[in-house]
């Protein structure tokens, strides 16, 4: 199975990084010599995705701008013989970047819905802005391998799962799993149930959902139905809970997760990757 499209919802306000995020989107904070969002784009490129849609809000245009060609600058670098830099700038030449706006902060599912008409493939990757997985393979590489191991990957959803400490369970979407399922891969789980931010005593397991997904296009129809007539937040987890008979699997990732969405997590990511 090959994926060619990914949506990166990066419209959030980044309140945990205020006042910095008044002027610079948190996704452009540097880790080493790249901004966080470039590491997410690289994660897509590593599995052959070449069609990437950013969901942004007004004021975050700098995010797509980072990836656009700048022919005048490239000519100047060539003139000056700065070939290493030129090579760095040309990395994204064969990638199609698309931008849609989310004008109201109505949740991650609402952000995805803004890109519905752009989706042209049966399955696609969704990468939220904060989570990086470091190890032998990045997050998407592990998810696509998991999907490929299934008998019928076409309409399935693949979640990225992490074992979370009991005290942290109320911060996560937690899955219930089918213990009798014969997994074709040691890290794969079949998901029977999803509960958003449960109390530890009500949680069906200790497996929490991390911000990377492979979803079938039909998920957008469920999101659309949820959105009709709703004035509340529209969340991807609600569409997953409604699922409509769709099979959901999870891959317990291998490696270390870095959550760059908090100042402490960002500092840790700089330590590990910077
Ligand atoms: P968060 O809940 O972490 O929000 O969003 P945030 O704005 O990024 O950060 P804080 O909590 O204010 O500090 C998780 C992901 O979902 C996207 C965000 O950009 C981030 O990638 N998101 C969330 C949207 O694109 N739109 C939304 O309405 C909500």
């Amino acid at each position: 199975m090959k994926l060619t499209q990914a949506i990166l919802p990066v419209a959030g306000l980044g309140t945990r990084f205020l006042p910095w995020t008044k002027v610079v989107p948190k996704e452009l904070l540097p880790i080493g010599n790249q901004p966080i969002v470039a590491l997410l784009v690289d994660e897509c490129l590593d599995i052959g995705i070449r069609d990437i849609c950013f969901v942004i809000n007004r004021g975050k245009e700098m995010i797509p701008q980072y990836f656009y060609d700048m022919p005048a600058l490239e000519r100047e670098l060539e003139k000056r013989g700065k070939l290493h830099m030129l090579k760095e700038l040309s990395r994204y030449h064969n990638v199609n970047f698309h931008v849609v706006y989310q004008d109201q902060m109505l949740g991650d599912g609402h952000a995805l819905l803004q890109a519905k008409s752009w989706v042209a493939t049966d399955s696609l990757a969704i990468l939220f802005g904060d989570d990086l997985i470091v190890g032998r393979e990045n997050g998407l590489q592990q998810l696509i391998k998991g999907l490929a191991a299934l008998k019928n990957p076409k309409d399935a959803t693949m979640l990225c799962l992490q074992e979370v400490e009991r005290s942290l369970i109320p911060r996560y979407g937690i899955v219930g799993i089918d213990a009798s399922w014969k997994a074709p891969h040691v890290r794969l789980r079949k998901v029977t149930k999803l509960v958003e931010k449960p109390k530890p005593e009500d949680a069906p397991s200790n497996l929490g959902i991390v911000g990377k997904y492979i979803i079938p296009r039909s998920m957008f129809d469920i999101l659309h139905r949820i959105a009709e007539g709703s004035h509340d937040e529209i969340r991807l987890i609600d569409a997953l809970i409604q699922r409509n008979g769709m099979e959901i699997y999870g891959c317990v990732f291998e490696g270390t997760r870095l959550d760059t969405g908090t100042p402490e997590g960002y500092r840790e990511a700089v330590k590990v990757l910077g």
Side-chain angles (χ1 to χ4, degrees):
M1 183 163 178
K2 182 150 172 43
L3 292 188
T4 57
Q5 292 198 302
I7 301 176
L8 274 59
V10 286
L13 298 174
T15 53
R16 285 168 289 181
F17 280 92
L18 280 170
W20 182 249
T21 39
K22 277 168 70 187
V23 286
V24 178
K26 66 175 177 180
E27 295 81 3
L28 290 180
L29 294 178
I31 296 191
N33 59 357
Q34 280 191 299
I36 294 166
V37 68
L39 300 175
L40 294 171
V41 165
D42 283 353
E43 190 172 338
C44 296
L45 304 190
D46 282 347
I47 64 160
I49 289 174
R50 288 284 178 279
D51 255 331
I52 294 177
C53 178
F54 295 111
V55 184
I56 64 170
N57 64 20
R58 311 273 155 199
K60 289 184 103 172
E61 288 80 4
M62 269 187 274
I63 293 177
Q65 179 70 44
Y66 176 87
F67 298 95
Y68 292 157
D69 297 348
M70 291 186 79
L73 177 61
E74 288 178 29
R75 276 195 303 275
E76 191 57 33
L77 289 173
E78 199 171 358
K79 235 179 4 194
R80 297 182 185 190
K82 302 209 164 180
L83 301 184
H84 171 70
M85 264 302 148
L86 197 58
K87 192 163 161 235
E88 187 58 35
L89 289 192
S90 64
R91 286 180 60 217
Y92 304 113
H93 277 182
N94 62 352
V95 186
N96 302 312
F97 291 103
H98 186 75
V99 174
V100 296
Y101 282 90
Q102 183 190 22
D103 287 324
Q104 285 172 289
M105 291 297 96
L106 282 176
D108 57 12
H110 180 260
L112 291 176
L113 269 179
Q114 311 314 303
K116 184 174 189 273
S117 61
W118 171 83
V119 177
T121 53
D122 288 341
S123 288
L124 69 156
I126 308 293
L127 268 72
F128 289 100
D130 296 336
D131 286 316
L132 297 172
I133 287 167
V134 214
R136 216 163 36 87
E137 290 180 312
N138 69 38
L140 273 188
Q141 281 170 328
Q142 297 187 46
L143 294 194
I144 193 89
K145 246 192 200 166
L147 208 58
L150 299 176
K151 276 202 195 96
N152 188 10
K154 195 172 148 270
D155 299 315
T157 290
M158 184 61 69
L159 309 176
C160 187
L161 300 177
Q162 175 181 23
E163 285 180 10
V164 294
E165 265 177 44
R166 193 176 154 81
S167 63
L168 299 179
I169 281 178
R171 294 196 199 164
Y172 287 82
I174 301 288
V175 298
I177 55 165
D178 177 352
S180 65
W181 184 60
K182 298 249 173 310
H185 184 290
V186 59
R187 297 193 158 268
L188 282 187
R189 305 286 181 270
K190 186 167 186 182
V191 173
T192 53
K193 186 176 184 180
L194 298 102
V195 190
E196 175 69 331
K197 302 183 174 166
K199 290 187 196 143
E201 57 274 25
D202 298 333
S205 75
N206 66 343
L207 292 173
I209 305 172
V210 173
K212 297 177 195 293
Y213 304 75
I214 295 175
I215 60 166
R217 189 185 195 167
S218 52
M219 194 70 76
F220 287 85
D221 298 329
I222 306 179
L223 280 171
H224 185 71
R225 268 201 304 280
I226 295 174
E228 265 172 348
S230 160
H231 299 288
D232 298 333
E233 275 211 344
I234 297 149
R235 298 169 314 165
L236 177 56
I237 189 150
D238 295 327
L240 291 167
I241 289 169
Q242 294 198 9
R243 66 154 78 184
N244 269 2
M246 163 191 308
E247 304 228 308
I248 302 182
Y249 298 87
C251 176
V252 184
F253 72 81
E254 194 179 33
T256 305
R257 171 182 166 220
L258 300 169
D259 175 4
T260 64
T262 64
E264 313 78 64
Y266 170 65
R267 272 197 294 277
E268 178 63 20
V270 170
K271 240 191 261 168
V272 174
L273 291 172

